[in-house]
Amino acid sequence: MDKSKVLRLVNRPTITDVAWQIVFRLGFPVARGWWRLRRARHVGALLAIHVGQSLLLLRCSYRSAWNFPGGEVRQGEAPEDSVRRELAEEIGLVVDAPLQLAGEVRGVWDGRRDRVFLFMVRLNTLPTLRLDNREIIDARLVPIDDLYTVSLTGPVQEYVQGLSSLNDRRNGP
């Protein structure tokens, strides 16, 4: 049974938004191939937003796996600044609370060598989100115990595995 909570979203996609979704959906496989050929490197930053015993997950228009909010760290930009910028651009969320660096993961995802900074924040309630409806098309609060039933991006899987390891150590023999 899917216990994830579909969030109340403010704006519906326009025709222009749908056109952008198609561009993203068609362009992403091409970009992945290009990254593979170039052996591209990428630096990203994601934010795990905990609301009670759930995590906020987003779905992009161009991939089926769910992800945390965030994205590419621009040259000269601090990873935390990148996360805050992406939150505002993609889901209309401004988080005033301090972000805690949860770690850094490295892997080959989407055909490129990725270095991803993971931040976390705990919120009592989640404000209404304003999805950009171009790149980000869906948002859900998923109970932490149900994350194993959801298709997740590589960096999010790493974060969730870290949560599981931490809980295992806390609950010990």
Side-chain angles (χ1 to χ4, degrees):
M1 180 167 147
D2 184 9
K3 297 179 196 169
S4 63
K5 179 181 175 188
V6 177
L7 302 173
R8 196 170 57 114
L9 310 172
V10 172
N11 49 340
R12 297 208 178 273
T14 64
I15 299 244
T16 303
D17 294 335
V18 172
W20 273 106
Q21 290 173 17
I22 292 167
V23 168
F24 280 124
R25 202 168 292 129
L26 295 174
F28 189 62
V30 173
R32 289 177 60 182
W34 177 246
W35 296 329
R36 232 179 239 109
L37 285 173
R38 282 191 53 232
R39 305 184 104 191
R41 293 178 185 267
H42 177 258
V43 178
L46 299 174
L47 179 62
I49 300 176
H50 292 256
V51 181
Q53 294 299 311
S54 297
L55 276 169
L56 175 66
L57 296 178
L58 304 179
R59 192 164 59 86
C60 297
S61 57
Y62 50 86
R63 73 165 44 114
S64 58
W66 292 78
N67 201 15
F68 291 146
E72 182 172 22
V73 177
R74 295 176 179 165
Q75 190 160 350
E77 183 177 45
E80 183 174 343
D81 294 338
S82 170
V83 164
R84 290 183 187 279
R85 174 183 49 77
E86 291 280 355
L87 282 172
E89 289 174 4
E90 293 177 347
I91 60 175
L93 183 60
V94 176
V95 176
D96 295 326
L99 306 182
Q100 178 184 347
L101 182 62
E104 177 185 324
V105 295
R106 293 174 187 253
V108 177
W109 298 297
D110 296 325
R112 59 189 175 187
R113 289 172 283 179
D114 229 330
R115 175 184 181 196
V116 179
F117 294 91
L118 293 166
F119 293 89
M120 67 160 291
V121 67
R122 294 191 184 281
L123 300 178
N124 293 325
T125 59
L126 188 66
T128 301
L129 304 177
R130 288 179 175 77
L131 304 188
D132 71 0
N133 286 323
R134 294 177 180 187
E135 184 177 4
I136 306 302
I137 59 170
D138 201 358
R140 293 181 183 239
L141 279 176
V142 178
I144 291 170
D145 292 340
D146 293 346
L147 289 171
Y148 67 92
T149 66
V150 179
S151 175
L152 303 172
T153 62
V156 175
Q157 287 176 8
E158 297 274 342
Y159 181 85
V160 170
Q161 288 172 356
L163 285 178
S164 297
S165 299
L166 183 61
N167 285 337
D168 290 346
R169 278 182 266 151
R170 283 186 185 152
N171 297 330

